[in-house]
Amino acid sequence: MSPTAIGPVSVLISNAGITRDALSPTMREEDFTDVIETNLVGSFRMAKAVSKSMISAKWGRIVFISSIMGFLGSPGQANYASSKAGMLGLTRSLAWELGSRNVTVNMVTPGLIETDMIDAVTDKRRDQLLSQTPLRRTGTVQEVANVVKFLASDDASYVTGAAVPIGGGIGMGQ
């Protein structure tokens, strides 16, 4: 179904994310490209599909859900980290392209959040990540949603091209 079939879209929250973890020397190229295709190219396609109606309306909000791993990297996640890092370039390029039409484009970079995706993280890796997190806890989906809600609102009308970390302080300065 195309966006025009359901009417104009004024807010896009792009939350695509898959993983296919493996160390780079053993990672199948298909697993690398599948993750890039879903996480980065999928976000581009969604933004492209809705941006024309936002430009016509002279108002819109695009919020990409990335990951702190796009800034930090992670063993076995060259594909995932690359896809999420690429979203920064996508975010900032679209912010330039759409800003004069009153369309803001931002991304959030969650850290360790209680979702199904972290069920695959080993206890050892989870403890390691938590030890690098000043708040020493995982975040909640609601904490991410609160920031996304702000970025999608009129309260964030002067925020564009931003990468907002939601990770309890992990990766500060990145």
Side-chain angles (χ1 to χ4, degrees), residues 16-167:
I18 64 168
T19 60
R20 299 266 165 52
D21 296 353
L23 294 175
S24 295
T26 61
M27 183 180 289
R28 297 179 320 143
E29 283 196 34
E30 176 181 296
D31 289 339
F32 189 90
T33 56
D34 284 352
V35 171
I36 297 291
E37 181 72 22
T38 299
N39 299 359
L40 180 57
V41 178
S43 294
F44 165 76
R45 288 181 179 140
M46 292 303 300
K48 181 178 178 181
V50 302
S51 61
K52 289 180 185 173
S53 66
M54 291 178 177
I55 289 168
S56 294
K58 293 187 173 67
W59 195 95
R61 301 286 184 263
I62 297 173
V63 182
F64 295 117
I65 311 298
S66 183
S67 169
I68 195 65
M69 293 309 156
F71 293 109
L72 301 180
S74 182
Q77 291 195 315
N79 51 3
Y80 182 77
S82 296
S83 71
K84 296 301 185 172
M87 292 176 78
L88 179 61
L90 178 62
T91 297
R92 293 198 168 151
S93 294
L94 292 178
W96 275 109
E97 292 177 10
L98 303 175
S100 66
R101 304 298 200 284
N102 199 34
V103 176
T104 64
V105 186
N106 295 290
M107 73 178 204
V108 297
T109 59
L112 202 58
I113 305 296
E114 289 296 331
T115 65
D116 292 343
M117 191 176 275
I118 69 164
D119 289 343
V121 175
T122 66
D123 288 342
K124 180 180 177 182
R125 180 67 174 144
R126 185 182 178 114
D127 290 345
Q128 180 187 32
L129 291 169
L130 288 175
S131 74
Q132 298 169 8
T133 305
L135 292 182
R136 297 288 195 263
R137 68 174 179 84
T138 56
T140 67
V141 172
Q142 188 60 52
E143 289 170 314
V144 175
N146 291 340
V147 176
V148 171
K149 181 179 175 183
F150 166 72
L151 291 172
S153 75
D154 280 330
D155 291 336
S157 63
Y158 200 60
V159 180
T160 197
V164 182
I166 310 170

